[in-house]
């Protein structure tokens, strides 16, 4: 006993005296985490960053870092600087729903050590809170020793019996110091000095086709004259949206939101959402209708219990010297560090599963589109709640876990929250959706080898012709240059040209005398297939429906055979697509119509896709003619405004089964 005690006391003396010795030249990295509770607010600091939170509401009042007293906008109301908020719609008759900032009513210290403080600001819903979404909400903030930033996450719970409602949007908003944060970065190619919020005012800008977009005509700083400001130009697929933020050059500070996992976001890896906008504003989006429509609302029935952990996200602050891309590159590096630490071992809530409580699957995906199985290369494979093939893109209640396959089709997914899922997949280069024949049960520490999964994409017969690449995007088609009036130089080159404002109106300019006609074997989809099937603007500023024609020759026609038209759409908004064959007469009933579908608004919001749709249309051989031009007429019938329309992903005609 004695020697061991002696050893411990020597060790503690050593540690203690080291602390003392170091104190005068304190390295902020060794400072302990301190909590100070004041009337109406609490302050946590670690010698690097100090955050100030209203108590018990749990809104961010201030973030102090690198000599800047407040990174947030101290000129705005205390409830309006850094906050969690949601949009909701009651579906039982009570209240009006709408936007709600989440006010905590109860403050609690969850963890307090020298190394870590975790705080909770929560509210329990009771029926008298008719103006509040029927959810118990627990917002958490975590500060670690030596860490240049802080974590935040929240647990949302609907108890069985709480009234039905839709959770339409859920997010965190940061309104940053307007004087300081002028440079925004959300990807390697989309980063820039941003216009001021003031430049969006009616005095300085003209409204465009929808309120989010303005044409800046009289900016505070001349460099922004003539530019369009629209937050949707900074939207991004969730899989590519793991870090974004703003930079102050004096003092040198980067403010970054790092989202180390997409597991708690809705709609799978290709769901797009907002990142930053003029303000300066930085968002962490968890639930939204953006690029998807109301399908993505979390629709909760009164008998239904539901609980979900959103986050944590990491608010990372950096201050290394150099031009803005230096801070951006450092933030990307930190994103890699945070991703590597996921799931975080310091999170206190029992509702957040630690690594040893989660499971793993491994397997291989093969595709059989031609009677031969080949490895699915670069396929998206994921777990989501059980449903139909492709249901993951509209799934919003559970967690999702995605990866891509290697060249041999192998995949492995780690850190899966326990539960029952289907394996879903889609493979660039092939149409359709894969779903595992049975569900998979993930258990704590379980490591499931799911073996070979074989995806047989829809196909009845040989390809006679095809337009585009089946990849759920219209990116390979003709994306026109914008009207020069609306050109934003930072989008002019590179992969985000489709994010320019107003491209839908270019259709009427490029096809003034008649609608698009695409001749198989003559035309090239890269040049001759407009990226979106939009309405036509008429001289009196009303809009009309449009009919696109695909013409093709067939050497032989099997009269009693069934041909198959595959129409894969990358987006649809309030569209009714009609298909006619060899008879353009709109008064004759169409061979096929989709009915009115879609609400993803990807056309006005400059997405190159929204949600994916696949339609298959039988064409009787008796309606086709050999050695003559045949025509398929595609009419998008709904044309009340500029915005109903579809984007095609891929179109194919198959011959009769052989
Ligand atoms: C925290 O915010 C409150 C309310 O604005 C303010 O009175 C207080 O001085 C702030 N504390 C720190 C340490 O920033
Ligand atoms: C079509 O007609 C041919 C020749 O009469 C016949 O052999 C074949 O079975 C028919 N196919 C179908 C699908 O009816
Ligand atoms: C399309 O044709 C196939 C094969 O002839 C047939 O099985 C199917 O029922 C048809 N579908 C419709 C919607 O007519």
């Amino acid at each position: 006993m004695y020697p061991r005690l002696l050893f411990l006391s020597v060790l503690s003396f050593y540690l203690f005296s080291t602390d003392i010795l170091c104190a005068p030249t304190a390295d902020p990295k060794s400072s302990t985490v301190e909590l100070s509770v004041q009337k109406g607010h609490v302050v946590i600091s670690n010698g690097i960053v100090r955050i100030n939170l209203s108590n018990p509401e749990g809104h961010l009042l201030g973030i102090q870092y690198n000599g800047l007293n407040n990174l947030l906008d101290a000129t705005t109301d205390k409830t309006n600087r850094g906050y969690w908020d949601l949009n909701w719609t009651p579906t039982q008759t009570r209240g009006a729903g709408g936007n709600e900032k989440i006010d905590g009513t109860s403050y609690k210290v969850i963890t307090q050590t020298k190394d870590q403080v975790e705080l909770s600001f929560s509210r329990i819903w009771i029926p008298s809170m008719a103006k509040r979404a029927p959810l118990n909400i627990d917002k958490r903030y975590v500060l670690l020793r030596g860490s240049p930033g802080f974590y935040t996450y929240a647990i949302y719970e609907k108890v069985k019996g709480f009234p039905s409602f839709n959770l339409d949007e859920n997010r965190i908003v940061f309104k940053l110091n307007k004087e300081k944060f002028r440079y925004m970065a959300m990807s390697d190619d989309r980063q820039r000095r941003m216009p001021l919020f003031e430049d969006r005012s009616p005095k300085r800008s003209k409204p465009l086709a929808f309120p989010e977009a303005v044409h800046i005509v009289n900016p505070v700083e001349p460099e922004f004259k003539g530019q369009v400001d629209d937050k949707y130009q900074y939207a991004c697929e969730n899989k590519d949206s793991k870090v974004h933020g703003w930079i102050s050059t004096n003092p040198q500070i980067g403010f970054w939101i790092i989202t180390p996992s997409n597991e708690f976001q809705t709609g799978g890896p290709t769901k797009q959402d907002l990142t930053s906008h003029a303000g300066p504003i930085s968002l962490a989006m968890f639930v939204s209708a953006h690029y998807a429509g109301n399908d993505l609302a979390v629709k909760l029935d009164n008998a239904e219990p539901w609980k979900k952990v959103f986050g944590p996200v990491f608010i990372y602050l950096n201050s290394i010297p150099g031009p803005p891309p230096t801070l951006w590159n450092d933030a990307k590096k930190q994103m890699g560090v945070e991703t590597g630490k996921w799931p975080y071992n310091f999170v206190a809530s029992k509702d957040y599963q630690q690594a040893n409580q989660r499971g793993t699957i491994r397997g291989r995906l093969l595709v059989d589109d031609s009677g031969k199985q080949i490895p699915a290369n670069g396929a998206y494979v994921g777990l989501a709640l059980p449903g139909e093939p492709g249901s993951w893109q509209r799934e919003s209640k559970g967690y999702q876990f995605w990866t891509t396959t290697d060249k041999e089709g192998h995949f492995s997914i780690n850190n899966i929250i326990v539960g029952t899922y289907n394996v879903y997949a889609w493979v660039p280069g092939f149409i359709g959706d894969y779903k595992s024949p049975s569900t998979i049960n993930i258990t704590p520490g379980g490591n499931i080898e799911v073996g070979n999964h074989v995806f047989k994409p829809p196909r009845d017969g040989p390809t006679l012709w095809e337009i585009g690449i089946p990849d759920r995007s219209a990116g390979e088609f003709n994306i026109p240059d914008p009207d020069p009036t609306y050109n934003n130089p930072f989008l002019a080159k590179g992969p985000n040209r489709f994010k320019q404002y107003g491209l839908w109106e270019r259709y009427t300019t490029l096809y003034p005398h008649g609608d698009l006609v695409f001749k198989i074997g003559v035309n090239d989809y890269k040049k001759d297939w407009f990226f979106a099937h939009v309405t036509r603007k008429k001289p009196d500023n009303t809009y009309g429906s449009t009919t696109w024609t695909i013409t093709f020759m067939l050497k032989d026609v099997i009269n009693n055979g069934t041909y198959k038209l595959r129409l894969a759409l990358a987006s649809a908004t309030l569209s009714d697509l009609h298909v006619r064959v060899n008879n353009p007469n709109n008064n004759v009933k169409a061979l096929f119509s989709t009915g009115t579908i879609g609400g993803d608004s990807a056309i006005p919001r400059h997405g190159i896709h929204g949600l994916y749709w696949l339609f298959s249309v039988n064409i009787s051989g008796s309606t086709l003619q050999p050695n003559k031009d045949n025509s398929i007429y595609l009419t998008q019938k709904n044309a009340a405004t500029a915005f109903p329309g579809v984007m095609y992903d891929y179109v194919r005609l198959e011959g009769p089964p052989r």
Side-chain angles (χ1 to χ4, degrees):
M1 274 311 264
Y2 281 111
R4 197 168 161 206
L5 258 183
L6 185 66
F7 171 74
L8 282 177
S9 62
V10 169
L11 184 69
S12 60
F13 174 77
Y14 173 76
L15 288 174
F16 181 68
S17 50
T18 310
D19 273 351
I20 301 278
L21 285 175
C22 285
T25 53
D27 173 4
K29 293 214 152 110
S30 67
S31 293
T32 55
V33 183
E34 302 296 336
L35 167 66
S36 150
V37 183
Q38 313 281 328
K39 191 175 179 318
H41 64 273
V42 297
V43 176
I44 39 180
S45 59
N46 63 4
I48 303 170
V49 53
R50 187 179 76 193
I51 71 173
N52 190 352
L53 292 145
S54 60
N55 178 3
E57 296 84 359
H59 303 310
L60 282 148
L61 301 166
I63 302 172
Q64 188 202 57
Y65 175 74
N66 197 31
L68 186 58
N69 194 43
N70 203 344
L71 276 56
L72 300 179
D73 180 6
T75 67
T76 183
D77 189 81
K78 287 173 189 161
T79 61
N80 201 31
R81 300 176 187 173
Y83 53 87
W84 286 76
D85 76 352
L86 58 77
N87 282 319
W88 67 290
T89 313
T91 49
Q92 278 176 304
T93 39
R94 49 172 292 286
N99 182 267
E100 181 191 339
K101 268 180 200 151
I102 317 297
D103 287 329
T105 53
S106 165
Y107 159 74
K108 201 166 144 197
V109 179
I110 302 291
T111 313
Q112 185 179 8
T113 69
K114 288 191 300 190
D115 296 323
Q116 172 172 356
V117 166
E118 176 162 346
L119 303 179
S120 155
F121 302 87
S122 65
R123 75 116 186 271
I124 300 287
W125 188 85
I126 46 170
S128 63
M129 291 161 66
K131 293 205 164 113
R132 308 252 156 197
L135 285 168
N136 295 338
I137 296 177
D138 185 352
K139 297 185 291 180
R140 301 289 183 95
Y141 294 88
V142 183
L143 185 63
L144 303 182
R145 186 172 181 165
S147 169
F150 63 93
Y151 298 85
T152 181
Y153 68 105
I155 304 128
Y156 282 41
E157 180 177 23
K158 183 189 169 295
V159 176
K160 183 178 170 154
F162 282 9
S164 313
F165 75 103
N166 293 349
L167 177 62
D168 304 310
E169 186 163 87
N170 182 32
R171 59 180 192 173
I172 317 174
V173 182
F174 295 95
K175 295 191 174 151
L176 301 179
N177 188 314
K178 291 187 181 118
E179 314 268 288
K180 299 293 180 186
F181 290 94
R182 295 300 312 280
Y183 189 95
M184 184 280 302
M186 46 78 52
S187 71
D188 286 338
D189 64 321
R190 278 184 284 167
Q191 46 181 280
R192 58 174 304 205
R193 223 171 150 263
M194 288 283 279
L196 292 166
F197 191 69
E198 198 186 329
D199 293 335
R200 295 182 53 89
S201 69
K203 201 169 86 206
R204 299 193 176 277
S205 65
K206 290 200 179 118
L208 291 172
F210 42 89
E212 291 91 338
V214 296
H215 187 212
I216 304 173
V217 289
N218 176 30
V220 177
E221 296 151 310
E223 68 175 285
F224 302 108
K225 192 175 166 76
Q227 293 197 5
V228 169
D229 183 65
D230 180 353
K231 62 188 179 182
Y232 291 104
Q233 293 187 326
Y234 310 112
C236 184
E237 288 185 355
N238 284 341
K239 70 178 165 57
D240 301 323
S241 186
K242 292 191 166 175
V243 55
H244 63 269
W246 289 78
I247 290 167
S248 150
T249 47
N250 179 28
Q252 181 89 339
I253 296 175
F255 174 99
W256 307 102
I257 298 180
I258 293 180
T259 308
S261 166
N262 301 134
E263 69 184 33
F264 43 76
Q265 287 169 320
T266 61
T270 49
K271 165 81 165 67
Q272 298 154 89
D273 227 316
L274 299 172
T275 59
S276 308
H277 52 100
I281 290 176
S282 201
L283 302 169
M285 298 294 311
F286 303 113
V287 174
S288 86
H290 298 138
Y291 303 94
N294 189 250
D295 284 348
L296 265 281
V298 186
K299 295 178 175 128
L300 297 165
D301 186 67
N302 94 321
E304 189 176 357
W306 176 75
K307 192 191 256 190
K308 188 164 176 179
V309 179
F310 295 101
V313 295
F314 183 42
I315 307 310
Y316 174 60
L317 308 173
N318 60 4
S319 61
I320 49 176
T326 318
L327 286 99
W328 161 251
N329 287 328
D330 174 69
K332 276 204 302 186
K333 219 158 79 191
Q334 189 64 31
M335 181 265 279
V337 172
E338 299 299 323
T339 309
K341 288 197 289 195
W342 190 269
Y344 291 135
N345 62 10
F346 53 81
V347 174
S349 170
K350 289 196 171 44
D351 293 312
Y352 178 82
Q353 289 186 359
Q354 297 293 329
N356 64 3
Q357 296 173 295
R358 298 177 176 224
T360 297
I361 69 164
R362 274 178 300 126
R364 189 174 185 213
L365 184 69
L366 303 161
V367 200
D368 176 359
D369 190 33
S370 56
K372 203 174 85 197
Q373 295 181 2
I374 57 164
N377 180 4
Y380 289 78
V381 179
L383 296 191
L385 289 186
E388 297 300 306
S391 57
W392 55 269
Q393 66 169 353
R394 292 182 171 80
E395 203 291 300
S396 59
K397 288 180 186 171
Y399 300 94
Q400 296 200 25
F401 301 87
W402 286 86
T403 190
T404 48
T405 54
D406 68 14
K407 281 210 298 285
E408 293 304 313
H410 295 290
F411 61 88
S412 74
I413 306 178
N414 303 327
N415 296 314
I416 305 161
I417 290 175
V418 299
T420 302
Y421 303 90
N422 270 122
V423 178
Y424 297 96
W426 64 278
V427 192
F430 300 91
I431 58 172
D433 271 285
Y434 177 75
K435 177 191 129 171
S436 56
S438 53
T439 56
I440 305 252
N441 203 14
I442 300 292
T443 54
N447 188 345
I448 303 174
E449 172 58 71
V450 295
N452 283 358
H453 283 240
V454 181
F455 170 43
K456 275 182 83 74
R459 176 180 291 282
D460 287 353
T463 299
L464 300 180
W465 51 258
E466 59 190 342
I467 300 169
I469 305 165
D471 62 355
R472 303 183 174 221
S473 150
E476 69 271 32
F477 298 127
N478 176 25
I479 297 164
D481 287 328
D483 178 330
T485 314
Y486 302 127
N487 180 36
N488 268 1
F490 84 103
L491 293 171
K493 291 203 186 76
N496 291 297
R497 287 179 59 243
F498 63 83
K499 290 221 150 279
Q500 293 276 18
Y501 174 84
L503 298 187
W504 58 88
E505 295 214 326
R506 302 286 292 147
Y507 178 75
T508 307
T509 314
L510 292 173
Y511 297 89
H513 305 302
D515 284 330
L516 184 148
V517 176
F518 190 92
K519 213 168 156 78
I520 298 294
V522 173
N523 289 118
D524 173 4
Y525 67 74
K526 293 189 199 83
K527 296 201 301 261
D528 304 322
W529 189 265
F530 196 72
F531 78 105
H533 188 162
V534 291
T535 54
R536 172 180 296 282
K537 189 172 187 177
K538 297 197 263 190
D540 64 356
N541 285 337
T542 63
Y543 291 85
S545 74
T546 48
T547 297
W548 288 13
T549 308
I550 303 168
T551 65
F552 56 98
M553 289 274 266
L554 297 173
K555 229 166 119 350
D556 308 300
V557 169
I558 301 168
N559 242 291
N560 64 351
T562 300
Y563 291 69
K564 193 82 113 192
L565 180 70
R566 306 284 183 187
L567 281 173
L569 306 183
S571 162
T573 302
L574 293 172
S575 292
D576 186 4
L577 191 61
H578 287 205
V579 179
R580 290 182 171 79
V581 179
N582 285 340
N583 181 357
N585 186 347
N586 276 347
N587 298 322
V588 175
K589 190 174 179 295
L591 173 63
F592 172 83
S593 81
T594 58
T596 295
I597 56 164
D600 64 44
S601 292
I603 293 170
R605 287 172 175 178
H606 341 294
I608 199 62
H609 70 84
L611 297 187
Y612 178 73
W613 305 78
L614 178 63
F615 298 98
S616 297
V617 183
N618 285 351
I619 298 176
S620 158
S622 64
T623 61
L624 299 171
Q625 39 196 6
N627 290 313
K628 277 194 200 151
D629 271 345
N630 290 282
S631 295
I632 290 177
Y633 302 96
L634 302 169
T635 302
Q636 200 295 98
K637 229 182 133 234
N638 294 347
T641 71
F643 298 129
V646 303
M647 290 185 213
Y648 298 94
D649 165 33
Y650 173 75
V651 185
R652 174 168 87 204
L653 185 68
E654 293 166 17
R658 280 203 284 237

